[in-house]
mmCIF file of all heavy atoms in Angstrom:
data_model
loop_
_atom_site.group_PDB
_atom_site.id
_atom_site.type_symbol
_atom_site.label_atom_id
_atom_site.label_comp_id
_atom_site.label_asym_id
_atom_site.label_seq_id
_atom_site.Cartn_x
_atom_site.Cartn_y
_atom_site.Cartn_z
ATOM 1 N N PRO B 62 -156.606 -12.827 -72.357
ATOM 2 C CA PRO B 62 -155.710 -12.371 -73.436
ATOM 3 C C PRO B 62 -154.805 -13.545 -73.941
ATOM 4 O O PRO B 62 -154.247 -14.260 -73.119
ATOM 5 C CB PRO B 62 -155.037 -11.290 -72.959
ATOM 6 C CG PRO B 62 -154.971 -11.451 -71.485
ATOM 7 C CD PRO B 62 -156.227 -12.110 -71.070
ATOM 8 N N HIS B 63 -154.660 -13.786 -75.275
ATOM 9 C CA HIS B 63 -153.623 -14.671 -75.759
ATOM 10 C C HIS B 63 -152.230 -13.899 -75.521
ATOM 11 O O HIS B 63 -152.125 -12.735 -75.611
ATOM 12 C CB HIS B 63 -153.725 -14.867 -77.248
ATOM 13 C CG HIS B 63 -154.905 -15.577 -77.587
ATOM 14 N ND1 HIS B 63 -155.752 -15.258 -78.632
ATOM 15 C CD2 HIS B 63 -155.391 -16.780 -77.114
ATOM 16 C CE1 HIS B 63 -156.687 -16.265 -78.802
ATOM 17 N NE2 HIS B 63 -156.459 -17.198 -77.830
ATOM 18 N N LEU B 64 -151.348 -14.738 -75.084
ATOM 19 C CA LEU B 64 -149.964 -14.231 -74.840
ATOM 20 C C LEU B 64 -149.002 -14.849 -75.866
ATOM 21 O O LEU B 64 -149.079 -15.988 -76.113
ATOM 22 C CB LEU B 64 -149.647 -14.557 -73.293
ATOM 23 C CG LEU B 64 -150.477 -14.063 -72.273
ATOM 24 C CD1 LEU B 64 -150.172 -14.604 -70.864
ATOM 25 C CD2 LEU B 64 -150.499 -12.535 -72.189
ATOM 26 N N VAL B 65 -147.926 -14.049 -76.146
ATOM 27 C CA VAL B 65 -146.800 -14.519 -76.998
ATOM 28 C C VAL B 65 -145.619 -13.999 -76.385
ATOM 29 O O VAL B 65 -145.467 -13.136 -75.458
ATOM 30 C CB VAL B 65 -146.983 -13.945 -78.457
ATOM 31 C CG1 VAL B 65 -148.328 -14.465 -79.188
ATOM 32 C CG2 VAL B 65 -146.901 -12.464 -78.281
ATOM 33 N N LEU B 66 -144.490 -14.623 -76.839
ATOM 34 C CA LEU B 66 -143.153 -14.198 -76.403
ATOM 35 C C LEU B 66 -142.869 -12.796 -76.984
ATOM 36 O O LEU B 66 -143.323 -12.422 -77.930
ATOM 37 C CB LEU B 66 -142.099 -14.986 -76.914
ATOM 38 C CG LEU B 66 -141.998 -16.512 -76.511
ATOM 39 C CD1 LEU B 66 -140.953 -17.302 -77.282
ATOM 40 C CD2 LEU B 66 -141.780 -16.592 -75.121
ATOM 41 N N ARG B 67 -142.301 -11.991 -76.115
ATOM 42 C CA ARG B 67 -141.821 -10.633 -76.475
ATOM 43 C C ARG B 67 -140.853 -10.804 -77.631
ATOM 44 O O ARG B 67 -140.109 -11.770 -77.632
ATOM 45 C CB ARG B 67 -141.123 -9.998 -75.270
ATOM 46 C CG ARG B 67 -140.832 -8.435 -75.519
ATOM 47 C CD ARG B 67 -140.294 -7.821 -74.279
ATOM 48 N NE ARG B 67 -138.889 -8.277 -74.266
ATOM 49 C CZ ARG B 67 -138.250 -8.478 -73.125
ATOM 50 N NH1 ARG B 67 -138.823 -8.186 -71.903
ATOM 51 N NH2 ARG B 67 -136.973 -8.808 -73.136
ATOM 52 N N SER B 68 -140.949 -9.816 -78.579
ATOM 53 C CA SER B 68 -140.214 -9.977 -79.750
ATOM 54 C C SER B 68 -138.694 -10.378 -79.635
ATOM 55 O O SER B 68 -138.133 -11.192 -80.282
ATOM 56 C CB SER B 68 -140.338 -8.851 -80.724
ATOM 57 O OG SER B 68 -139.828 -7.712 -80.164
ATOM 58 N N ASP B 69 -137.961 -9.602 -78.730
ATOM 59 C CA ASP B 69 -136.598 -9.929 -78.449
ATOM 60 C C ASP B 69 -136.381 -11.318 -77.859
ATOM 61 O O ASP B 69 -135.277 -11.989 -78.189
ATOM 62 C CB ASP B 69 -135.943 -8.804 -77.695
ATOM 63 C CG ASP B 69 -136.467 -8.642 -76.450
ATOM 64 O OD1 ASP B 69 -137.618 -8.951 -75.991
ATOM 65 O OD2 ASP B 69 -135.654 -8.167 -75.528
ATOM 66 N N VAL B 70 -137.257 -11.815 -77.066
ATOM 67 C CA VAL B 70 -137.136 -13.068 -76.448
ATOM 68 C C VAL B 70 -137.383 -14.112 -77.629
ATOM 69 O O VAL B 70 -136.502 -15.142 -77.700
ATOM 70 C CB VAL B 70 -138.287 -13.219 -75.308
ATOM 71 C CG1 VAL B 70 -138.132 -14.792 -74.827
ATOM 72 C CG2 VAL B 70 -138.006 -12.320 -74.192
ATOM 73 N N ALA B 71 -138.274 -13.993 -78.415
ATOM 74 C CA ALA B 71 -138.589 -14.866 -79.522
ATOM 75 C C ALA B 71 -137.301 -14.817 -80.461
ATOM 76 O O ALA B 71 -136.865 -15.914 -80.904
ATOM 77 C CB ALA B 71 -139.806 -14.508 -80.384
ATOM 78 N N ALA B 72 -136.876 -13.688 -80.770
ATOM 79 C CA ALA B 72 -135.663 -13.638 -81.634
ATOM 80 C C ALA B 72 -134.378 -14.372 -80.987
ATOM 81 O O ALA B 72 -133.699 -15.188 -81.627
ATOM 82 C CB ALA B 72 -135.234 -12.149 -81.825
ATOM 83 N N TRP B 73 -134.311 -14.219 -79.693
ATOM 84 C CA TRP B 73 -133.102 -14.863 -79.001
ATOM 85 C C TRP B 73 -133.336 -16.386 -79.149
ATOM 86 O O TRP B 73 -132.454 -17.105 -79.503
ATOM 87 C CB TRP B 73 -132.996 -14.439 -77.552
ATOM 88 C CG TRP B 73 -131.820 -15.122 -76.851
ATOM 89 C CD1 TRP B 73 -130.619 -14.477 -76.787
ATOM 90 C CD2 TRP B 73 -131.784 -16.383 -76.278
ATOM 91 N NE1 TRP B 73 -129.747 -15.341 -76.129
ATOM 92 C CE2 TRP B 73 -130.407 -16.424 -75.932
ATOM 93 C CE3 TRP B 73 -132.538 -17.366 -76.104
ATOM 94 C CZ2 TRP B 73 -129.993 -17.623 -75.078
ATOM 95 C CZ3 TRP B 73 -132.134 -18.500 -75.440
ATOM 96 C CH2 TRP B 73 -130.812 -18.653 -74.940
#
Side-chain angles (χ1 to χ4, degrees):
H63 288 133
L64 301 171
V65 296
L66 293 174
R67 194 178 69 215
S68 61
D69 61 332
V70 176
W73 187 94

